[in-house]
Amino acid sequence: MRTTTKKGLSIRKKIILVALVINALAIVAFTAIAYWQERDGFLRGVDEKLRVAANSMPHLLPPDYHGRISGPGSISAALFKQTQQLLTNYAKTNDLAFIYSCVEHDGQFYFVASSASDVELKTGTEAKFYERYEQAPQEMFTAWKSNAVQFAEYEDAYGRFRSIFVPMQSTDGDGSAAARFIVGIDVDVDFIQRELRHTILLCIGLGIGIF
């Protein structure tokens, strides 16, 4: 009789253990699937936000702003500062790290419009008109040469970013092409990682709640 009881308890324990293992595996599987689905959706949303900001950028500037640019000094310091304030406000409102445009000359990119971070404004290190972008990522050159949109994740002196680079062309008053430029929009990678950590915690909690 005692032997039967011990066997019964042993079988019961095994059943409980198997059930717990199956439940744990179900939670892990559910969490992983839910997380990757949410992650993909979030990153698609980030890329779409970058695309919308890039297409909006020229409309934030004075008419034919890029068409006036012919080299250093072609845009006054006062006008550049004015556009910088507009772009900085837009970046802050839309949770963007930077929004800027560059022109290419002799294989190098030069800032012709740019937002600025609070730290840059306090220290006077914000981009100046026609300042060379010394660490321009390869994807920026690829976008320029191919005349096609490029996304990138990279690190430079300004931080770590998920970015979009969109080649564009200004027009004259009669609608004819005037000047080429490229728009760059950056989102801080740390912001993306914080959001993804929050997402995985939500998925774990949901998985535990369901199972």
Side-chain angles (χ1 to χ4, degrees):
M1 191 72 176
R2 288 179 183 174
T3 306
T4 304
T5 302
K6 287 181 179 179
K7 284 183 179 179
L9 288 172
S10 178
I11 292 172
R12 205 171 297 136
K13 286 180 180 178
K14 289 179 180 178
I15 291 173
I16 292 172
L17 180 60
V18 169
L20 288 174
V21 170
I22 292 174
N23 189 65
L25 290 174
I27 291 173
V28 171
F30 174 86
T31 300
I33 293 170
Y35 170 72
W36 283 106
Q37 288 178 340
E38 289 296 319
R39 176 186 179 278
D40 288 347
F42 173 73
L43 292 179
R44 283 196 300 271
V46 169
D47 286 349
E48 181 59 25
K49 180 165 81 168
L50 291 172
R51 194 183 295 274
V52 169
N55 290 328
S56 300
M57 194 271 194
H59 303 290
L60 301 173
L61 304 177
D64 195 34
Y65 178 86
H66 290 95
R68 306 181 207 176
I69 297 168
S70 57
S74 51
I75 295 292
S76 69
L79 179 56
F80 182 77
K81 195 68 178 177
Q82 177 187 335
T83 62
Q84 190 166 71
Q85 187 60 58
L86 290 171
L87 296 177
T88 298
N89 291 341
Y90 183 90
K92 287 182 177 180
T93 301
N94 292 278
D95 294 321
L96 302 171
F98 292 101
I99 174 170
Y100 51 94
S101 64
C102 295
V103 295
E104 187 270 349
H105 180 70
D106 289 340
Q108 300 290 333
F109 285 109
Y110 297 83
F111 290 107
V112 293
S114 178
S115 63
S117 68
D118 289 338
V119 172
E120 288 177 331
L121 292 173
K122 286 178 182 178
T123 58
T125 56
E126 70 275 18
K128 306 300 190 294
F129 181 74
Y130 229 81
E131 178 180 328
R132 185 162 69 92
Y133 189 176
E134 295 184 359
Q135 292 181 298
Q138 183 57 47
E139 290 84 356
M140 195 171 185
F141 291 95
T142 301
W144 183 262
K145 291 175 182 176
S146 65
N147 200 35
V149 174
Q150 295 287 320
F151 288 93
E153 283 193 22
Y154 66 98
E155 183 172 0
D156 63 11
Y158 300 95
R160 297 171 60 229
F161 305 111
R162 172 72 177 172
S163 305
I164 189 173
F165 300 108
V166 184
M168 295 188 178
Q169 204 159 33
S170 64
T171 56
D172 285 329
D174 60 1
S176 61
R180 288 186 72 200
F181 62 97
I182 189 165
V183 171
I185 311 292
D186 301 334
V187 171
D188 197 320
V189 167
D190 290 339
F191 165 77
I192 295 175
Q193 291 178 340
R194 283 196 304 270
E195 291 298 312
L196 291 179
R197 283 196 294 270
H198 179 64
T199 297
I200 198 169
L201 290 175
L202 286 177
C203 290
I204 291 171
L206 185 58
I208 293 172
I210 292 175
F211 295 97

